[in-house]
Amino acid sequence: MVCLVSRSGRQLQRYDNMGRRQVVGCIPYRYKKGGDGSIGNELEVLVITSQKGQGMMFPKGGWELDESVEEAASRESLEEAGVLGNVECELGKWNFLSKSHGTFYEGYMFPLLVKEQLDLWPEKHVRQRIWMTVEEAREACRHWWMKEALDVLVERLTRKQDGDQHNIVNVNVPAQISVRSYR
C-alpha cells in the first residue's frame, strides 16, 4: 500500500552545520524495452516539471530528521514522480544557491532504478513526468548540479563491471562536455 499524500512543513527539515537546508533527489532511470518486450541497453531517465512550471528537473526535496537519506530519496521520487524502485549508491553531494530563496542548499543525488510507475501519485496534479534520453534530459534540466549528477550516473553505468550487460549503456556524450561546464 502506498500513501498518496506528500509530506509538508519544515519542522523535521535537516540543516548542515553551516545552516544550509539539506535536500535529496533521485535520477529515476530504466532501460528501454525492445519491440519484443525484452529489456535493451538504451538508458532512459525520468524528468518532472517544477511545481511552478518553470523548467524540468529530477525529483528532489527536503531530507527530514526521521528518515535516512535513502528513504528521503525514495519518498521524493514517489511523491513528485510517482515511481518506485531501488535507490542505488549516492552520486554525490552539491552545494548550490536556490534562486527562489536566495540561500545555499546542500543537495545529495542518487540513482533510482525504476521498478514500478504508478498511475496515481501525490503530486500528479501539479507535475508532469516525461521519460527522455540522457541527451534530452541534459538539455531540458534547468539545474547545473542535477546535470552533473546525470553525468556521474552515465559514467557509472557505462563502465563495464562484472560482465553485466546492463552496465553498458548506449549514450552519446559529447566529448567536450566537462563536469563543471554547466555552472
Side-chain angles (χ1 to χ4, degrees), residues 86-97:
N86 299 332
V87 175
E88 298 173 345
C89 186
E90 180 182 308
L91 295 167
K93 176 177 78 170
W94 288 263
N95 293 309
F96 62 95
L97 178 65

Side-chain angles (χ1 to χ4, degrees), residues 14 19-20 22 28 47 55 64 80 99 113 119 152 157 165:
R14 288 181 189 255
R20 292 179 292 217
Q22 294 180 310
V47 294
E64 300 190 357
E80 295 187 354
K99 291 180 182 170
L113 178 57
D119 292 328
V152 173
L157 293 175
Q165 69 176 350

Side-chain angles (χ1 to χ4, degrees), residues 132-144:
M132 296 183 170
T133 66
V134 168
E135 294 83 4
E136 291 168 335
R138 187 180 285 113
E139 182 69 28
C141 185
R142 68 182 202 166
H143 299 297
W144 65 266

